[in-house]
Amino acid sequence: FYKYKMKILVGCKRVIDYAVRIRVKPDFSGVETNNVKHSMNPFDELAVEEAVKMKESKHATEVIAVSCGSIKVQEVLRTALAMGADKAVHVDVEDEKLQPLDVAKLFKGIIEKEKPDLVILGKQAIDDDSNQTGQMLSGLMNWSQATFAYKIENIGNKKLQVKREIDGGLETVEIALPAVITTDLRLNTPRYATLPNIMKAKKKIIEKFTPADLNVTISPRLQTLKVEEPPKRQSGKKVANVDELIEKLKNEAKVI
Amino acid sequence: MILNRLMFHGGFKRLFSSMVIAEHKGDKLASSTLHAITAARQLNQPITTLVAGKNCKNVISEVSKIEGVSKVVHIDNELLDHPLAETLCPAIISVQNKFKFNYLIAAHTASSKNILPRVAALLDVAQISDVMAIKDSDTFVRSIYAGNAIATVKSLDSVKVVTIRPSSFAPSKSVTGQKVEIEEFKFDDIKCSSRWVAEEIIKSDRPELGSAEIVVSGGRGLKNQENFQLMYKLADTIGAAVGASRAAVDAGYAPNDLQVGQTGKIVAPKLYIAVGISGAIQHLAGMKDSKVIVAINKDPDAPIFQVADYGLVGDLFQAVPELIEKLGASKK
């Protein structure tokens, strides 16, 4: 039966790779990012994968990958293109200045140019851990939203049914297009880009915009005063057996 | 202090105030709201609590007894029975437009994470997520990079939308004889193209993971879903909540709402017992502020031992049944 075919926008943030042990700068101004391995935010990989799968199953017509940041974000856009996105958009901004509200406004600007039916973003970036951009964008657009998506189904008539992860279990909502969805970890397993696809991705187009092109003035609302290492835990002791463990918990730690 | 000065020296008297958005299920207040009220109390402003939903009499009465609450605004609307961001957000905005609070505060739960950023964007302000400490009227402490760095941030917005980490603030208690104003707020203007369809909530008699005093958590070392039952047995023996590592959840041993970590729940119980969990950065982000950490793992080099106060290197399939037996016997 007939199902509406969507044009999909996906967000891709370039972040320090999830496996890297991060280091706080000695002047407490932030985290060391120079000469540190970066990659696509893991939640955004899920967003790209989901969009590409929708195109493969003929629910989508076009997938556009968008990233805001310095010229280096073009690496993650190439990754998205190699995973199957059709084209990419780079919004050129200083990385340090980017906060969720401004990113949402930049995405709004791109939406006005590209007119997608669906935007899929990661639920949070693993660097600032904000978990805000998708919800903010949906609010600014006055669109439907489904955050922390676990399963997305195109049920036709410009509607999607989304299973969401909530505290205590799962929730199912029905949303009308256009909409914003944010991904949770269990949505899918992102594919690896194959070498031929990486080569093909080099020929795909990356369009470039500035905030001014999108009528957005970047205005960070949170000023970072200090970034510190978290307090270190004292390494504890090994116990020989269960009896000793119970004895310590009762008499030394007094927690049971 | 800065706020006080403004209040006295401003051209007109302006009341600074906070609104805590109550979370509730049916007729019961979520315990996370008690932690949010504590955070609000630290700002020394009058606290209004918003209770939005359908037939919330019990929640209103529960919340008006919580220490520090001076007013309860409630909205009764069928469409807010299972609130969606698209329905609750305009309700919050219209309450805010009337009362002009300086702070909108909620616990950093799945529900607030869903709704508050939408509210913040429509007020054109930033949200300060998952706050661990409040330094002063505009300065907040939060964790970044999965808890591997702690940032102190200053908000430049006039209205501050804040979600707090429940485990970083003690729960506020109920008091008797507190004078609380209760005001009904009419809000019927809901146009929403989204629809709540269903939920699957896992019922449990165990304490809530986010606020439990003891948490026992299982990882990939449990090997399968049947073995994971051991964790429930251990939990029931000592009155604990059950948690799980992402590996255990991804492998299907445990339901996803038990996940402790950067992308799951952040817990800080008195006692955290990690069983068969290696201790990946992602997991440590969710539990390293626990008071006492116990690790049971057969790999002596597992990173979990670097944060554990007491480590037992050994086979969990021997150690856990022995623990259950000996702790169970000593309880009687």
Side-chain angles (χ1 to χ4, degrees):
Chain A
F1 70 109
Y2 173 75
K3 273 183 186 158
Y4 182 75
K5 288 192 183 177
M6 300 171 286
K7 178 171 175 179
I8 306 178
L9 211 74
V10 289
C12 311
K13 186 176 182 181
R14 177 180 177 266
V15 297
I16 294 181
D17 189 85
Y18 74 95
V20 169
R21 186 102 200 140
I22 64 120
R23 284 202 334 271
V24 169
K25 286 186 190 167
D27 65 355
F28 305 113
S29 64
V31 161
E32 189 56 69
T33 53
N34 285 331
N35 302 316
V36 173
K37 186 185 176 200
H38 282 66
S39 49
M40 194 192 300
N41 180 41
F43 291 100
D44 300 349
E45 288 185 335
L46 298 159
V48 176
E49 174 65 30
E50 195 66 16
V52 170
K53 267 170 56 185
M54 285 177 181
K55 194 179 167 197
E56 287 167 345
S57 61
K58 310 263 187 273
H59 290 305
T61 50
E62 190 183 8
V63 177
I64 304 168
V66 183
S67 189
C68 307
S70 68
I71 184 80
K72 289 179 178 166
V73 305
Q74 293 202 359
E75 299 160 15
V76 301
L77 288 173
R78 288 287 170 208
T79 306
L81 292 168
M83 286 172 74
D86 299 288
K87 73 165 186 181
V89 172
H90 169 205
V91 184
D92 195 3
V93 211
E94 265 180 75
D95 292 311
E96 291 75 30
K97 289 195 171 160
L98 276 180
Q99 289 175 6
L101 184 58
D102 284 329
V103 176
K105 289 178 180 175
L106 294 172
F107 268 80
K108 181 171 187 255
I110 298 294
I111 288 173
E112 278 153 12
K113 288 194 184 294
E114 294 288 348
K115 307 213 166 15
D117 306 282
L118 177 64
V119 177
I120 312 181
L121 305 179
K123 80 164 177 182
Q124 78 190 59
I126 60 163
D127 51 4
D128 67 13
D129 286 338
S130 290
N131 196 328
Q132 298 171 3
T133 306
Q135 297 87 313
M136 288 183 153
L137 174 61
S138 179
L140 294 177
M141 297 304 302
N142 194 24
W143 283 6
S144 318
Q145 75 179 51
T147 49
F148 327 143
Y150 167 86
K151 196 174 180 191
I152 305 170
E153 273 180 319
N154 187 347
I155 54 171
N157 199 20
K158 292 196 184 189
K159 280 187 178 153
L160 304 177
Q161 196 166 71
V162 183
K163 269 197 166 55
R164 310 178 49 232
E165 298 198 354
I166 57 170
D167 291 336
L170 291 175
E171 176 181 87
T172 308
V173 292
E174 194 179 284
I175 57 172
L177 296 176
V180 176
I181 292 179
T182 73
T183 64
D184 218 317
L185 281 170
R186 277 158 288 273
L187 181 61
N188 59 49
T189 309
R191 71 194 64 192
Y192 291 103
T194 59
L195 190 59
N197 285 342
I198 293 170
M199 300 310 289
K200 264 190 244 163
K202 289 188 175 166
K203 296 198 185 96
K204 293 181 183 172
I205 296 163
I206 299 181
E207 276 182 66
K208 197 163 155 181
F209 294 100
T210 63
D213 298 335
L214 306 169
N215 296 317
V216 176
T217 309
I218 302 292
S219 62
R221 309 301 177 78
L222 295 180
Q223 194 185 335
T224 299
L225 303 181
K226 193 164 60 169
V227 174
E228 299 160 278
E229 297 258 356
K232 285 244 179 324
R233 279 192 86 95
Q234 296 292 332
S235 173
K237 45 192 134 184
K238 296 261 165 72
V239 292
N241 51 45
V242 169
D243 289 321
E244 193 191 340
L245 176 61
I246 293 175
E247 192 273 319
K248 294 276 189 213
L249 291 178
K250 278 192 173 153
N251 303 322
E252 196 174 273
K254 299 191 183 3
V255 283
I256 52 171
Chain B
M1 286 220 308
I2 296 161
L3 285 174
N4 283 337
R5 219 179 306 144
L6 279 175
M7 262 209 272
F8 291 120
H9 298 286
F12 55 94
K13 197 183 164 192
R14 209 182 143 194
L15 187 65
F16 287 86
S17 58
S18 309
M19 174 161 80
V20 172
I21 293 139
E23 199 178 318
H24 56 89
K25 263 273 173 263
D27 57 357
K28 200 163 161 31
L29 185 69
S31 59
S32 56
T33 302
L34 305 177
H35 302 258
I37 291 172
T38 303
R41 282 165 58 204
Q42 291 183 5
L43 291 159
N44 293 318
Q45 312 297 334
I47 299 169
T48 296
T49 304
L50 173 66
V51 177
K54 178 75 194 154
N55 294 331
C56 296
K57 278 207 184 87
N58 289 339
V59 177
I60 294 164
S61 118
E62 219 179 318
V63 105
S64 45
K65 289 182 192 126
I66 306 303
E67 184 176 6
V69 173
S70 58
K71 183 169 177 167
V72 178
V73 170
H74 69 99
I75 302 176
D76 192 302
N77 189 310
E78 198 132 2
L79 278 167
L80 297 173
D81 196 12
H82 292 285
L84 298 170
E86 298 92 316
T87 54
L88 188 49
C89 173
I92 294 171
I93 300 266
S94 73
V95 172
Q96 169 64 10
N97 286 344
K98 180 176 175 196
F99 295 101
K100 310 252 184 268
F101 297 103
N102 303 89
Y103 299 90
L104 303 185
I105 302 170
H108 195 64
T109 58
S111 166
S112 303
K113 286 182 210 173
N114 183 37
I115 296 161
L116 270 270
R118 189 172 174 113
V119 172
L122 291 171
L123 296 173
D124 195 30
V125 301
Q127 175 178 303
I128 310 125
S129 285
D130 204 10
V131 165
M132 300 162 70
I134 298 173
K135 286 244 156 145
D136 61 41
S137 60
D138 56 10
T139 313
F140 304 88
V141 178
R142 57 181 306 267
S143 91
I144 52 175
Y145 290 92
N148 288 301
I150 307 292
T152 304
V153 296
K154 184 184 161 98
S155 161
L156 309 174
D157 289 312
S158 57
V159 176
K160 297 170 199 350
V161 175
V162 182
T163 61
I164 62 101
R165 176 176 291 189
S167 63
S168 299
F169 298 87
S172 282
K173 295 200 164 63
S174 60
V175 288
T176 50
Q178 180 169 259
K179 223 182 109 223
V180 175
E181 185 192 341
I182 296 182
E183 180 173 333
E184 190 182 345
F185 188 89
K186 283 273 173 230
F187 181 76
D188 299 313
D189 187 28
I190 300 179
K191 290 183 211 80
C192 176
S193 49
S194 300
R195 190 171 70 90
W196 181 89
V197 178
E199 68 186 0
E200 301 156 45
I201 298 292
I202 295 130
K203 288 258 177 249
S204 161
D205 295 330
R206 293 182 193 94
E208 204 188 314
L209 180 56
S211 54
E213 295 227 305
I214 307 178
V215 174
V216 300
S217 234
R220 205 199 296 270
L222 269 304
K223 292 203 171 82
N224 60 46
Q225 200 180 353
E226 290 75 57
N227 291 339
F228 200 87
Q229 302 301 318
L230 263 179
M231 304 313 299
Y232 297 114
K233 272 192 208 155
L234 176 59
D236 292 341
T237 311
I238 51 178
V242 176
S245 70
R246 186 185 153 196
V249 171
D250 282 351
Y253 308 167
N256 60 319
D257 61 308
L258 298 192
Q259 189 188 316
V260 172
Q262 183 191 18
T263 56
K265 287 209 175 59
I266 314 276
V267 300
K270 252 175 33 185
L271 173 62
Y272 188 89
I273 306 180
V275 178
I277 292 177
S278 65
I281 298 178
Q282 208 282 137
H283 187 74
L284 298 183
M287 47 63 83
K288 68 181 166 47
D289 294 326
S290 305
K291 195 166 157 254
V292 174
I293 298 174
V294 169
I296 300 174
N297 204 303
K298 65 172 189 238
D299 174 10
D301 299 323
I304 191 80
F305 286 120
Q306 289 162 24
V307 300
D309 299 281
Y310 303 107
L312 177 61
V313 179
D315 183 0
L316 72 92
F317 294 109
Q318 275 167 15
V320 175
E322 195 182 335
L323 257 180
I324 294 169
E325 193 197 314
K326 288 180 172 160
L327 288 173
S330 71
K331 282 257 147 149
K332 279 169 203 157

